[in-house]
Amino acid sequence: MRRKSLSQYLTEQVRAGAATPELMQLVEQVAEACVSIGALVDKGALANMLGSARTENVQGETQKTLDVISNDLLIAATEWTGVLAALVSEEMEAPYQIPDTYPKGPYLLLFDPLDGSSNIDVNISIGTIFSVLECPKGVSKPDVAAFMQPGSKQVAAGFVVYGPSTLMVLTVGRGVVGFTLDRYPGTFVVTQEKVSIPADTSEFAINASNMRNWEAPVTRYIDECLAGKTGARGRDFNMRWVASMVADVYRTLWRGGIFMYPKDAKHKEGRLRLMYEANPMSFIVEQAGGAASDGRRRILDIQPTGLHQRVGVILGSKNEVERVSAYHSA
Ligand code: AHG
Ligand code: MN
Ligand code: MN
């Protein structure tokens, strides 16, 4: 039986009024860039793609070669479309203005071109995360202020995992759909019509090396998970930590779980970036029936104050996220 392509899925969303033709074109072009990024990830050392670019990004992090190339591929695949007003990337300090040689359009694109960079050289799944906002009306040269919109204003969000399979997860606000890359035509096809996160879980994901820095509610929650059936939870828990948000969130979407990178004594604002990591992932998780909080606030309600601001992230199975949030307000 023929599987539905990304184009067919997006065409159906346009027909249903859930997306515009311009949004369809933007998502298709982001997907095209991700196919190219995936091909480079696949080649690894054979394409001289590993190692450091010996440059630093706005985060003060040393950029990997693939961070920089992925960033450039996403710009090259989208800047000419005429549907973008500007774009923002983890790898660039300021918004990227669309060159005057191209027409502009109604959308703002934000992305983490390569998520999980510390895993590139050790052959662990990495990915690309993207978010789409509408450009405020009448703004012809979007500056930072144009991007300062809460995550609830996103019109689309998605991510791709370059793993054993290259997979894409997408929402345009009408649920979450999973796609698998069929490498040889190079097209993403629907392989999960409706992604929904189990409300309960017995699996948590956190970088336990930060334990001594955690706030009390997080320590309480993890201690209870570790106590398992001998403690307050009455059941044993499992732990996973890939250190690629895309891989940890994909697993959480598919089999349930709670993914946590809370702010702590070392990461005072949190580790993950609001605009192009937490917001797109939170939009997807909520559309899949899960929840996403920083422990005290719904992530999608947070009013941004900077393009690269960081935030604590606790997302996944609704009942567990709500439990951690309750511990924060206890
Ligand atoms: P990026 O490679 O884009 O900087 O993102 C890495 C993030 C995220 O993918 C992951 O969950 C987290 O960093 C892992 O942080 P630790 O290495 O501190 O565990
Ligand atoms: Mn990232
Ligand atoms: Mn990154």
Side-chain angles (χ1 to χ4, degrees), residues 252-304:
T252 299
L253 284 164
W254 254 253
R255 72 181 189 209
I258 181 168
F259 170 89
M260 303 172 75
Y261 215 120
K263 70 183 178 79
D264 61 31
K266 180 179 167 191
H267 307 88
K268 295 195 178 354
E269 299 305 314
R271 162 102 168 76
L272 301 174
R273 278 61 52 129
L274 174 64
M275 298 305 290
Y276 41 77
E277 289 174 319
N279 271 344
M281 291 306 204
S282 298
F283 185 22
I284 291 165
V285 163
E286 284 199 3
Q287 282 288 315
S293 163
D294 69 351
R296 295 177 176 84
R297 298 169 295 176
R298 176 181 178 240
I299 285 177
L300 295 184
D301 289 340
I302 295 173
Q303 176 55 46

Short mmCIF file of all heavy atoms in Angstrom, two decimals, residues 252-304:
data_model
loop_
_atom_site.label_atom_id
_atom_site.label_comp_id
_atom_site.label_asym_id
_atom_site.label_seq_id
_atom_site.Cartn_x
_atom_site.Cartn_y
_atom_site.Cartn_z
N THR A 252 10.42 9.56 24.26
CA THR A 252 9.35 9.96 25.18
C THR A 252 8.00 10.02 24.46
O THR A 252 6.97 9.58 24.98
CB THR A 252 9.69 11.34 25.78
OG1 THR A 252 10.93 11.24 26.50
CG2 THR A 252 8.60 11.85 26.70
N LEU A 253 8.01 10.52 23.22
CA LEU A 253 6.77 10.59 22.44
C LEU A 253 6.24 9.19 22.13
O LEU A 253 5.05 8.95 22.15
CB LEU A 253 7.01 11.33 21.12
CG LEU A 253 7.15 12.85 21.17
CD1 LEU A 253 7.78 13.38 19.90
CD2 LEU A 253 5.80 13.52 21.42
N TRP A 254 7.17 8.28 21.88
CA TRP A 254 6.73 6.96 21.39
C TRP A 254 6.35 6.00 22.50
O TRP A 254 5.38 5.26 22.39
CB TRP A 254 7.79 6.34 20.48
CG TRP A 254 7.39 6.38 19.03
CD1 TRP A 254 6.98 5.34 18.24
CD2 TRP A 254 7.29 7.56 18.22
NE1 TRP A 254 6.65 5.80 16.99
CE2 TRP A 254 6.82 7.15 16.93
CE3 TRP A 254 7.54 8.91 18.42
CZ2 TRP A 254 6.59 8.03 15.89
CZ3 TRP A 254 7.32 9.80 17.38
CH2 TRP A 254 6.86 9.36 16.14
N ARG A 255 7.10 6.01 23.63
CA ARG A 255 6.75 5.03 24.67
C ARG A 255 6.48 5.68 26.03
O ARG A 255 6.42 5.00 27.05
CB ARG A 255 7.83 3.96 24.80
CG ARG A 255 9.15 4.38 25.42
CD ARG A 255 10.10 3.18 25.44
NE ARG A 255 11.33 3.41 26.20
CZ ARG A 255 12.47 2.79 25.92
NH1 ARG A 255 12.55 1.96 24.90
NH2 ARG A 255 13.55 3.03 26.67
N GLY A 256 6.34 7.03 26.03
CA GLY A 256 6.11 7.70 27.30
C GLY A 256 7.43 7.98 27.99
O GLY A 256 8.49 7.48 27.59
N GLY A 257 7.36 8.79 29.03
CA GLY A 257 8.58 9.14 29.77
C GLY A 257 8.50 10.59 30.22
O GLY A 257 7.59 11.33 29.84
N ILE A 258 9.47 10.95 31.09
CA ILE A 258 9.57 12.36 31.48
C ILE A 258 11.01 12.76 31.23
O ILE A 258 11.95 12.11 31.69
CB ILE A 258 9.14 12.58 32.95
CG1 ILE A 258 9.23 14.08 33.30
CG2 ILE A 258 9.87 11.69 33.94
CD1 ILE A 258 8.55 14.45 34.61
N PHE A 259 11.17 13.82 30.42
CA PHE A 259 12.48 14.36 30.04
C PHE A 259 12.72 15.61 30.88
O PHE A 259 11.89 16.52 30.91
CB PHE A 259 12.49 14.70 28.55
CG PHE A 259 13.71 15.47 28.11
CD1 PHE A 259 14.85 14.81 27.68
CD2 PHE A 259 13.72 16.87 28.13
CE1 PHE A 259 15.98 15.52 27.27
CE2 PHE A 259 14.85 17.59 27.74
CZ PHE A 259 15.98 16.91 27.32
N MET A 260 13.85 15.63 31.56
CA MET A 260 14.08 16.76 32.48
C MET A 260 15.46 17.38 32.30
O MET A 260 16.48 16.68 32.36
CB MET A 260 13.96 16.26 33.93
CG MET A 260 12.63 15.60 34.24
SD MET A 260 12.59 14.80 35.87
CE MET A 260 12.47 16.24 36.93
N TYR A 261 15.50 18.67 32.00
CA TYR A 261 16.73 19.44 32.12
C TYR A 261 16.36 20.70 32.94
O TYR A 261 16.21 21.77 32.38
CB TYR A 261 17.41 19.80 30.81
CG TYR A 261 18.92 19.78 30.99
CD1 TYR A 261 19.73 18.94 30.25
CD2 TYR A 261 19.55 20.56 31.97
CE1 TYR A 261 21.11 18.88 30.44
CE2 TYR A 261 20.90 20.51 32.19
CZ TYR A 261 21.68 19.66 31.42
OH TYR A 261 23.04 19.59 31.65
N PRO A 262 16.12 20.53 34.22
CA PRO A 262 15.65 21.65 35.05
C PRO A 262 16.76 22.67 35.27
O PRO A 262 17.95 22.34 35.12
CB PRO A 262 15.29 20.95 36.37
CG PRO A 262 16.18 19.76 36.44
CD PRO A 262 16.36 19.31 35.02
N LYS A 263 16.39 23.89 35.60
CA LYS A 263 17.44 24.83 36.00
C LYS A 263 17.99 24.33 37.32
O LYS A 263 17.32 23.61 38.06
CB LYS A 263 16.90 26.26 36.08
CG LYS A 263 15.95 26.61 37.21
CD LYS A 263 15.50 28.06 37.04
CE LYS A 263 14.52 28.48 38.11
NZ LYS A 263 15.10 28.81 39.40
N ASP A 264 19.25 24.65 37.60
CA ASP A 264 19.86 24.17 38.85
C ASP A 264 20.94 25.16 39.27
O ASP A 264 21.08 26.22 38.66
CB ASP A 264 20.39 22.74 38.66
CG ASP A 264 21.47 22.64 37.59
OD1 ASP A 264 22.23 23.63 37.40
OD2 ASP A 264 21.56 21.59 36.92
N ALA A 265 21.70 24.82 40.30
CA ALA A 265 22.70 25.77 40.83
C ALA A 265 23.77 26.08 39.79
O ALA A 265 24.38 27.14 39.80
CB ALA A 265 23.31 25.18 42.09
N LYS A 266 23.98 25.15 38.86
CA LYS A 266 25.03 25.37 37.82
C LYS A 266 24.38 26.01 36.58
O LYS A 266 24.95 26.91 35.98
CB LYS A 266 25.65 24.02 37.47
CG LYS A 266 26.74 24.07 36.41
CD LYS A 266 27.31 22.67 36.18
CE LYS A 266 28.17 22.58 34.92
NZ LYS A 266 28.48 21.17 34.57
N HIS A 267 23.22 25.52 36.17
CA HIS A 267 22.51 26.05 35.00
C HIS A 267 21.39 26.93 35.54
O HIS A 267 20.24 26.50 35.62
CB HIS A 267 21.95 24.91 34.15
CG HIS A 267 22.98 23.88 33.77
ND1 HIS A 267 23.26 22.79 34.59
CD2 HIS A 267 23.79 23.76 32.70
CE1 HIS A 267 24.20 22.04 34.01
NE2 HIS A 267 24.55 22.61 32.86
N LYS A 268 21.74 28.18 35.91
CA LYS A 268 20.81 29.00 36.69
C LYS A 268 19.54 29.36 35.91
O LYS A 268 18.48 29.55 36.48
CB LYS A 268 21.51 30.27 37.19
CG LYS A 268 22.64 29.98 38.19
CD LYS A 268 23.09 31.19 38.94
CE LYS A 268 24.18 30.95 40.00
NZ LYS A 268 24.58 29.57 40.27
N GLU A 269 19.64 29.44 34.58
CA GLU A 269 18.44 29.71 33.75
C GLU A 269 17.95 28.42 33.10
O GLU A 269 16.97 28.41 32.41
CB GLU A 269 18.79 30.72 32.63
CG GLU A 269 19.25 32.09 33.14
CD GLU A 269 18.24 32.72 34.09
OE1 GLU A 269 17.04 32.70 33.74
OE2 GLU A 269 18.64 33.16 35.17
N GLY A 270 18.73 27.34 33.29
CA GLY A 270 18.45 26.11 32.55
C GLY A 270 19.53 25.90 31.50
O GLY A 270 20.38 26.76 31.29
N ARG A 271 19.54 24.81 30.83
CA ARG A 271 20.58 24.49 29.83
C ARG A 271 20.03 24.67 28.42
O ARG A 271 20.73 25.10 27.53
CB ARG A 271 21.00 23.03 30.03
CG ARG A 271 21.73 22.39 28.84
CD ARG A 271 23.19 22.32 29.02
NE ARG A 271 23.87 21.48 28.06
CZ ARG A 271 24.13 21.81 26.79
NH1 ARG A 271 23.66 22.92 26.31
NH2 ARG A 271 24.84 21.02 26.01
N LEU A 272 18.76 24.33 28.22
CA LEU A 272 18.18 24.30 26.88
C LEU A 272 17.61 25.66 26.50
O LEU A 272 17.16 26.42 27.36
CB LEU A 272 17.11 23.20 26.81
CG LEU A 272 17.66 21.81 27.13
CD1 LEU A 272 16.57 20.77 27.20
CD2 LEU A 272 18.73 21.39 26.13
N ARG A 273 17.63 25.96 25.19
CA ARG A 273 17.21 27.27 24.72
C ARG A 273 15.70 27.28 24.48
O ARG A 273 15.14 26.33 23.90
CB ARG A 273 17.95 27.62 23.42
CG ARG A 273 19.35 28.19 23.57
CD ARG A 273 20.41 27.35 24.24
NE ARG A 273 20.58 26.03 23.72
CZ ARG A 273 21.77 25.52 23.37
NH1 ARG A 273 22.86 26.26 23.45
NH2 ARG A 273 21.87 24.26 22.94
N LEU A 274 15.06 28.35 24.92
CA LEU A 274 13.61 28.45 24.84
C LEU A 274 13.10 28.45 23.39
O LEU A 274 12.22 27.67 23.02
CB LEU A 274 13.14 29.72 25.54
CG LEU A 274 11.63 30.06 25.43
CD1 LEU A 274 10.78 28.99 26.10
CD2 LEU A 274 11.34 31.43 26.05
N MET A 275 13.68 29.33 22.57
CA MET A 275 13.07 29.64 21.27
C MET A 275 13.15 28.50 20.26
O MET A 275 12.26 28.33 19.43
CB MET A 275 13.69 30.91 20.66
CG MET A 275 13.48 32.17 21.49
SD MET A 275 11.76 32.52 21.86
CE MET A 275 11.15 32.98 20.24
N TYR A 276 14.26 27.74 20.29
CA TYR A 276 14.42 26.73 19.22
C TYR A 276 14.72 25.34 19.75
O TYR A 276 15.11 24.45 18.99
CB TYR A 276 15.49 27.16 18.22
CG TYR A 276 16.72 27.79 18.83
CD1 TYR A 276 17.69 27.03 19.46
CD2 TYR A 276 16.87 29.17 18.83
CE1 TYR A 276 18.80 27.62 20.05
CE2 TYR A 276 17.97 29.77 19.43
CZ TYR A 276 18.94 28.99 20.04
OH TYR A 276 20.03 29.58 20.63
N GLU A 277 14.58 25.14 21.05
CA GLU A 277 14.59 23.78 21.61
C GLU A 277 13.31 23.56 22.43
O GLU A 277 12.45 22.76 22.08
CB GLU A 277 15.84 23.55 22.46
CG GLU A 277 17.13 23.45 21.65
CD GLU A 277 18.39 23.37 22.52
OE1 GLU A 277 18.49 24.08 23.52
OE2 GLU A 277 19.29 22.56 22.16
N ALA A 278 13.16 24.31 23.53
CA ALA A 278 12.04 24.07 24.44
C ALA A 278 10.69 24.35 23.80
O ALA A 278 9.75 23.53 23.90
CB ALA A 278 12.21 24.91 25.71
N ASN A 279 10.55 25.48 23.09
CA ASN A 279 9.24 25.82 22.52
C ASN A 279 8.77 24.82 21.46
O ASN A 279 7.65 24.29 21.57
CB ASN A 279 9.25 27.23 21.94
CG ASN A 279 8.88 28.28 22.99
OD1 ASN A 279 8.34 27.94 24.05
ND2 ASN A 279 9.16 29.53 22.69
N PRO A 280 9.59 24.51 20.45
CA PRO A 280 9.09 23.53 19.46
C PRO A 280 8.79 22.18 20.08
O PRO A 280 7.76 21.55 19.79
CB PRO A 280 10.21 23.46 18.41
CG PRO A 280 11.38 24.17 18.97
CD PRO A 280 10.90 25.09 20.03
N MET A 281 9.66 21.72 20.98
CA MET A 281 9.43 20.41 21.60
C MET A 281 8.18 20.45 22.49
O MET A 281 7.41 19.48 22.55
CB MET A 281 10.64 19.99 22.43
CG MET A 281 11.88 19.65 21.60
SD MET A 281 11.53 18.39 20.34
CE MET A 281 13.15 17.71 20.08
N SER A 282 7.94 21.58 23.15
CA SER A 282 6.76 21.68 24.02
C SER A 282 5.47 21.71 23.19
O SER A 282 4.46 21.09 23.58
CB SER A 282 6.85 22.94 24.88
OG SER A 282 7.98 22.87 25.72
N PHE A 283 5.51 22.39 22.05
CA PHE A 283 4.34 22.45 21.16
C PHE A 283 4.00 21.02 20.71
O PHE A 283 2.86 20.56 20.80
CB PHE A 283 4.66 23.35 19.98
CG PHE A 283 3.52 23.61 19.01
CD1 PHE A 283 2.19 23.47 19.38
CD2 PHE A 283 3.81 24.00 17.71
CE1 PHE A 283 1.15 23.72 18.48
CE2 PHE A 283 2.78 24.27 16.80
CZ PHE A 283 1.45 24.11 17.19
N ILE A 284 5.02 20.29 20.29
CA ILE A 284 4.83 18.91 19.82
C ILE A 284 4.31 18.03 20.96
O ILE A 284 3.32 17.29 20.81
CB ILE A 284 6.16 18.35 19.26
CG1 ILE A 284 6.51 19.05 17.95
CG2 ILE A 284 6.09 16.83 19.06
CD1 ILE A 284 7.95 18.84 17.51
N VAL A 285 4.94 18.11 22.11
CA VAL A 285 4.56 17.26 23.25
C VAL A 285 3.11 17.54 23.66
O VAL A 285 2.31 16.63 23.88
CB VAL A 285 5.53 17.46 24.43
CG1 VAL A 285 4.97 16.96 25.74
CG2 VAL A 285 6.87 16.78 24.12
N GLU A 286 2.72 18.81 23.72
CA GLU A 286 1.32 19.12 24.10
C GLU A 286 0.35 18.64 23.03
O GLU A 286 -0.70 18.06 23.34
CB GLU A 286 1.15 20.63 24.33
CG GLU A 286 1.72 21.12 25.63
CD GLU A 286 1.15 22.47 26.06
OE1 GLU A 286 0.25 22.99 25.36
OE2 GLU A 286 1.59 22.99 27.10
N GLN A 287 0.72 18.79 21.76
CA GLN A 287 -0.15 18.32 20.67
C GLN A 287 -0.29 16.79 20.70
O GLN A 287 -1.25 16.23 20.17
CB GLN A 287 0.42 18.75 19.31
CG GLN A 287 0.16 20.22 18.99
CD GLN A 287 -1.30 20.48 18.64
OE1 GLN A 287 -1.90 19.72 17.87
NE2 GLN A 287 -1.88 21.51 19.21
N ALA A 288 0.69 16.13 21.33
CA ALA A 288 0.63 14.66 21.44
C ALA A 288 -0.03 14.24 22.76
O ALA A 288 -0.02 13.06 23.11
CB ALA A 288 2.04 14.08 21.34
N GLY A 289 -0.59 15.21 23.50
CA GLY A 289 -1.31 14.88 24.73
C GLY A 289 -0.47 14.90 25.98
O GLY A 289 -0.92 14.52 27.07
N GLY A 290 0.78 15.35 25.85
CA GLY A 290 1.67 15.44 27.02
C GLY A 290 1.65 16.84 27.61
O GLY A 290 0.78 17.65 27.29
N ALA A 291 2.63 17.12 28.50
CA ALA A 291 2.71 18.43 29.15
C ALA A 291 4.15 18.89 29.14
O ALA A 291 5.09 18.08 29.03
CB ALA A 291 2.18 18.33 30.58
N ALA A 292 4.35 20.21 29.24
CA ALA A 292 5.71 20.78 29.20
C ALA A 292 5.76 22.01 30.08
O ALA A 292 5.03 22.97 29.87
CB ALA A 292 6.10 21.14 27.77
N SER A 293 6.64 21.96 31.09
CA SER A 293 6.71 23.02 32.10
C SER A 293 8.17 23.30 32.43
O SER A 293 9.05 22.46 32.16
CB SER A 293 5.97 22.55 33.36
OG SER A 293 6.32 23.33 34.48
N ASP A 294 8.42 24.46 33.04
CA ASP A 294 9.77 24.67 33.57
C ASP A 294 9.77 24.33 35.07
O ASP A 294 10.72 24.60 35.78
CB ASP A 294 10.26 26.12 33.33
CG ASP A 294 9.50 27.13 34.18
OD1 ASP A 294 8.47 26.77 34.81
OD2 ASP A 294 9.93 28.30 34.19
N GLY A 295 8.67 23.76 35.50
CA GLY A 295 8.51 23.39 36.92
C GLY A 295 7.51 24.32 37.58
O GLY A 295 6.77 23.93 38.49
N ARG A 296 7.48 25.56 37.05
CA ARG A 296 6.58 26.56 37.66
C ARG A 296 5.62 27.15 36.63
O ARG A 296 4.59 27.69 36.96
CB ARG A 296 7.42 27.67 38.32
CG ARG A 296 8.26 27.16 39.48
CD ARG A 296 9.15 28.23 40.09
NE ARG A 296 9.86 27.70 41.26
CZ ARG A 296 11.01 27.01 41.18
NH1 ARG A 296 11.55 26.75 39.98
NH2 ARG A 296 11.61 26.55 42.27
N ARG A 297 6.01 27.12 35.33
CA ARG A 297 5.20 27.74 34.29
C ARG A 297 5.05 26.79 33.09
O ARG A 297 6.00 26.05 32.81
CB ARG A 297 5.88 29.03 33.77
CG ARG A 297 6.07 30.13 34.79
CD ARG A 297 6.99 31.23 34.23
NE ARG A 297 8.35 30.72 34.01
CZ ARG A 297 9.34 31.47 33.46
NH1 ARG A 297 9.09 32.69 33.02
NH2 ARG A 297 10.57 30.97 33.32
N ARG A 298 3.93 26.87 32.43
CA ARG A 298 3.77 26.14 31.15
C ARG A 298 4.77 26.78 30.19
O ARG A 298 4.77 28.02 30.03
CB ARG A 298 2.33 26.31 30.66
CG ARG A 298 2.02 25.70 29.29
CD ARG A 298 0.58 25.96 28.91
NE ARG A 298 0.24 25.44 27.59
CZ ARG A 298 -0.20 26.20 26.58
NH1 ARG A 298 -0.33 27.52 26.75
NH2 ARG A 298 -0.50 25.65 25.40
N ILE A 299 5.59 25.99 29.56
CA ILE A 299 6.66 26.56 28.71
C ILE A 299 6.09 27.43 27.59
O ILE A 299 6.60 28.52 27.31
CB ILE A 299 7.57 25.44 28.16
CG1 ILE A 299 8.48 24.94 29.30
CG2 ILE A 299 8.41 25.91 26.97
CD1 ILE A 299 9.39 23.79 28.96
N LEU A 300 4.98 26.99 27.01
CA LEU A 300 4.42 27.74 25.87
C LEU A 300 3.83 29.10 26.27
O LEU A 300 3.53 29.91 25.41
CB LEU A 300 3.35 26.90 25.15
CG LEU A 300 3.85 25.62 24.47
CD1 LEU A 300 2.72 24.93 23.71
CD2 LEU A 300 5.02 25.90 23.52
N ASP A 301 3.71 29.32 27.57
CA ASP A 301 3.19 30.62 28.04
C ASP A 301 4.32 31.62 28.32
O ASP A 301 4.05 32.79 28.57
CB ASP A 301 2.39 30.44 29.35
CG ASP A 301 1.07 29.73 29.13
OD1 ASP A 301 0.60 29.73 27.97
OD2 ASP A 301 0.53 29.17 30.10
N ILE A 302 5.56 31.16 28.31
CA ILE A 302 6.66 32.03 28.72
C ILE A 302 6.88 33.13 27.68
O ILE A 302 7.02 32.85 26.48
CB ILE A 302 7.95 31.21 28.93
CG1 ILE A 302 7.77 30.24 30.11
CG2 ILE A 302 9.16 32.13 29.16
CD1 ILE A 302 8.92 29.26 30.29
N GLN A 303 6.88 34.39 28.12
CA GLN A 303 7.12 35.52 27.24
C GLN A 303 8.63 35.66 27.08
O GLN A 303 9.33 35.94 28.05
CB GLN A 303 6.54 36.81 27.84
CG GLN A 303 6.85 38.08 27.01
CD GLN A 303 6.42 38.00 25.55
OE1 GLN A 303 5.31 37.57 25.26
NE2 GLN A 303 7.31 38.38 24.64
N PRO A 304 9.17 35.43 25.87
CA PRO A 304 10.62 35.48 25.71
C PRO A 304 11.17 36.90 25.91
O PRO A 304 10.47 37.88 25.68
CB PRO A 304 10.84 35.05 24.25
CG PRO A 304 9.55 34.48 23.80
CD PRO A 304 8.49 35.11 24.63
#
